[in-house]
Amino acid sequence: MRLLLICLLFSMSDALVCSPATGTYVILTEKGVKDLGNCTTIDGNLFIHGGLQLSHNGLLPLSNLKLITGYLVIWNSQSLHCLMGLHNLDGIRGDNLYLDEYAVYIVDNYVDSHLNQSGISNREGLCFVDTVYWEFLVWNGTVYLHNNGEECSS
């Protein structure tokens, strides 16, 4: 019994709940991602708008993240090529919803997306977004994936 209690206390000490002061962490740079590197839970929302500031594997420091209690938005992150870093995510509760509807909103993540070039057939950008079973991760709200990378190597 005593060993079980020690193991439980040790495993709980590894958990770090991060709570944004405004309810939403807005990530604009790689430093912003690294600042959340120890978080296992974000008690709030995660809004990633990296523009050209996030590298191909820019989300990698988020590897400890298991739960987001609000929503996840990845928007207009033109240099981001993969979701690696979110691979340990077990749930997005959707306590707060983006635009009162979305628990996951991943849109316009391809090179030069800010130019609003509709009809482009070769778009390099955030790949394989539609291969994640988001519906298994989302507890409340809907998932919207649109205009992400299409020029992806397998």
Side-chain angles (χ1 to χ4, degrees):
M1 180 68 170
R2 187 173 179 184
L3 180 59
L4 177 64
L5 181 58
I6 290 171
C7 288
L8 284 174
L9 289 175
F10 180 73
S11 68
M12 287 173 54
S13 67
D14 290 341
L16 179 61
V17 176
C18 300
S19 300
T22 62
T24 302
Y25 282 115
V26 178
I27 304 298
L28 302 173
T29 64
E30 290 203 12
K31 182 190 179 313
V33 176
K34 288 177 185 173
D35 288 346
L36 298 177
N38 292 325
C39 300
T40 56
T41 298
I42 291 180
D43 187 19
N45 312 307
L46 181 57
F47 192 108
I48 299 168
H49 174 52
L52 297 171
Q53 302 301 314
L54 292 178
S55 68
H56 296 304
N57 297 323
L59 301 181
L60 204 51
L62 297 176
S63 294
N64 293 319
L65 189 59
K66 301 231 181 254
L67 176 67
I68 299 171
T69 64
Y71 58 74
L72 169 66
V73 169
I74 304 175
W75 174 69
N76 195 27
S77 294
Q78 298 175 44
S79 297
L80 193 60
H81 282 252
C82 76
L83 295 170
M84 185 59 99
L86 298 178
H87 57 279
N88 288 320
L89 195 59
D90 291 331
I92 301 169
R93 269 198 341 224
D95 294 351
N96 299 310
L97 299 175
Y98 183 65
L99 302 175
D100 294 324
E101 183 175 353
Y102 305 106
V104 174
Y105 185 89
I106 303 178
V107 176
D108 292 337
N109 296 292
Y110 61 93
V111 176
D112 293 332
S113 62
H114 64 289
L115 298 177
N116 195 18
Q117 302 169 346
S118 60
I120 296 176
S121 59
N122 294 329
R123 287 202 312 259
E124 181 183 346
L126 184 58
C127 292
F128 308 113
V129 172
D130 57 345
T131 64
V132 176
Y133 293 106
W134 295 104
E135 290 77 11
F136 291 127
L137 296 175
V138 170
W139 301 6
N140 177 48
T142 59
V143 174
Y144 185 66
L145 313 172
H146 185 67
N147 267 355
N148 295 296
E150 293 178 355
E151 192 67 23
C152 303
S153 58
S154 49

